[in-house]
Amino acid sequence: MRSWSIPAGKLFGVEVRIHLTFFVLLAFVWMAESAMKGSVNNATRQVALVGIIFVSVLLHELGHALAALRTGQQPKTVILMPIGGIPISNDTASGGEQAAGKDLWRKELWTALAGPAVSFAVALIAGVVVLEYFPQAHLGTKPLLHSNHLLRSLVWFNLFFGVFNLLPAYPLDGGRILRAWFSRTGAAMQATRRAVSIAHALATLIIAVGMLLFLQGGYPDSWWIITAGFFLLIGAQFEERSVVFQSVMETVRLEDVMLTDFATLSPADTLEDALDKAVHTLQDDFPVVRGGDMVGVISKSKILEELRVEGNGYVQAAMNRIFEVATRKESLASAFRKLNSRNLSIIPVVEDQQLVGIITLQNLMHSMTLLAESRKLRRAADNS
Ligand SMILES: [Zn+2]
């Protein structure tokens, strides 16, 4: 998805990227208008129409961005598509949802509503201005969206865009509202999955209806309906992939990927001893253990820094006492959330208060790859 988009600068600290489907839209406009009787193709006007659509989408996203900023929910990146923006949240691992406070769903609700609100406001203001100063634009005449009628298209596109985005089909705003509502009870994962499957069905239905209208020939705007369905399908596909990734993260247990062969330090070790030990392992982070009990964690770089600044001392004084622990059966997604939320680089895995393994950011990608390979080999062996 990212690779199909080009960077377009930053807006309120959010990276904005333009999805290449905007160019597909240009081809769609050309095709749709060629299909209409008595319509003359004018390339400049068609580019202008896509430009109007782009600015309308941008204003809509601005609405979301401002609402998100107010509630502290801002995503890292937004990818602009002709159906709206797809926000990519800071940590893909959590989908930005489970790390939630209680009132998160309310914030998500307001953020989702802000976009359509802007679109309706633009449609209303543009409509009033056109009626007042450009009556020759004939707002009520078909076709409602056409490059020969840019002002009329501006009004109707924003109206349609607002309504379209309220469809309960994830990743559209309506789908987000639905998911926010479902996630009140905490079942955000299932809510997302259900919303995505509704989106698939709805996109197919929209395309079918557009096709039918097109075949009957009486409806020149039917191409727009087909286009909208097509883009909705792409959006749903993308969300589906991140849901699949998410569910893989939820099914892998820590015992499948944790390091069981690792070095530990004692709080009574001196920093110089610790550095000596650190030299002989690839590990970057060390659990500090006293008689089988975890008492802290310390990193190689922290040991070096302390030695440089404070001189030699004890691990006890330099180690980090704030750490999260996890259990064997916990999911990888849960470990990722813990690592992310506190900016940690290591999580000890504990069973009956005994340290049985560690998860570090450093080893995680490596062990995930190995795990995938070993599962593939096992499956191949089962099949033969
Ligand atoms: Zn939106």
Side-chain angles (χ1 to χ4, degrees), residues 75-142:
K76 199 174 164 208
T77 307
V78 167
I79 297 178
L80 292 183
M81 285 183 69
I83 55 160
I86 298 193
I88 312 290
S89 100
N90 284 342
D91 56 326
T92 9
S94 73
E97 54 196 41
Q98 283 92 340
K102 249 213 225 135
D103 282 336
L104 187 77
W105 70 273
R106 225 184 281 272
K107 292 174 178 174
E108 279 188 351
L109 192 75
W110 285 115
T111 305
L113 282 170
V118 168
S119 295
F120 290 137
V122 171
L124 187 70
I125 293 166
V128 168
V129 169
V130 169
L131 283 176
E132 190 70 19
Y133 299 101
F134 308 95
Q136 70 276 16
H138 298 295
L139 273 190
T141 315
K142 283 180 178 175

Side-chain angles (χ1 to χ4, degrees), residues 60-61 64 112 115-116 165 173:
H60 173 106
E61 285 313 308
H64 286 308
N165 263 282
D173 299 329

Side-chain angles (χ1 to χ4, degrees), residues 173-376:
D173 299 329
R176 291 182 193 285
I177 291 167
L178 202 68
R179 194 195 59 174
W181 186 253
F182 282 144
S183 66
R184 276 177 317 148
T185 51
M189 250 303 274
Q190 290 93 315
T192 308
R193 205 174 292 159
R194 210 180 313 156
V196 169
S197 58
I198 293 174
H200 260 288
L202 216 57
T204 315
L205 190 71
I206 289 170
I207 293 172
V209 168
M211 292 284 196
L212 263 174
L213 289 172
F214 179 69
L215 287 176
Q216 285 180 352
Y219 200 76
D221 292 324
S222 59
W223 266 104
W224 284 99
I225 299 176
I226 298 172
T227 314
F230 170 74
F231 286 124
L232 186 52
L233 210 56
I234 297 178
Q237 218 92 49
F238 171 64
E239 292 295 341
E240 191 167 50
R241 237 177 303 160
S242 71
V243 168
V244 167
F245 175 71
Q246 176 77 19
S247 69
V248 167
M249 297 278 294
E250 296 286 355
T251 54
V252 173
R253 306 283 138 222
L254 292 189
E255 60 185 356
D256 298 329
V257 288
M258 69 188 185
L259 286 180
T260 47
D261 189 12
F262 55 90
T264 60
L265 295 172
S266 150
D269 284 344
T270 65
L271 290 170
E272 278 175 357
D273 293 341
L275 189 63
D276 256 0
K277 272 194 196 172
V279 167
H280 297 289
T281 163
L282 288 170
Q283 231 169 294
D284 276 341
D285 302 272
F286 300 89
V288 183
V289 178
R290 185 195 286 126
D293 282 344
M294 276 280 310
V295 291
V297 292
I298 191 164
S299 69
K300 210 181 251 183
S301 56
K302 176 75 177 167
I303 296 171
L304 275 172
E305 187 196 315
E306 283 288 318
L307 276 171
R308 209 174 292 138
V309 180
E310 307 277 337
N312 200 8
Y314 290 98
V315 167
Q316 173 136 30
M319 71 187 185
N320 191 355
R321 285 163 206 274
I322 309 166
F323 57 90
E324 294 258 8
V325 295
T327 60
R328 262 172 191 284
K329 298 286 176 201
E330 249 179 79
S331 73
L332 195 53
S334 152
F336 247 127
R337 282 196 285 280
K338 285 180 179 172
L339 283 169
N340 265 331
S341 65
R342 290 209 183 175
N343 233 340
L344 305 169
S345 52
I346 177 172
I347 288 191
V349 183
V350 176
E351 191 178 50
D352 300 326
Q353 298 195 330
Q354 288 289 311
L355 184 64
V356 291
I358 59 170
I359 294 282
T360 71
L361 273 181
Q362 182 199 3
N363 88 281
L364 214 45
M365 282 307 143
H366 188 65
S367 33
M368 280 295 282
T369 318
L370 280 178
L371 180 72
E373 284 304 316
S374 80
R375 283 188 175 180
K376 224 181 285 170

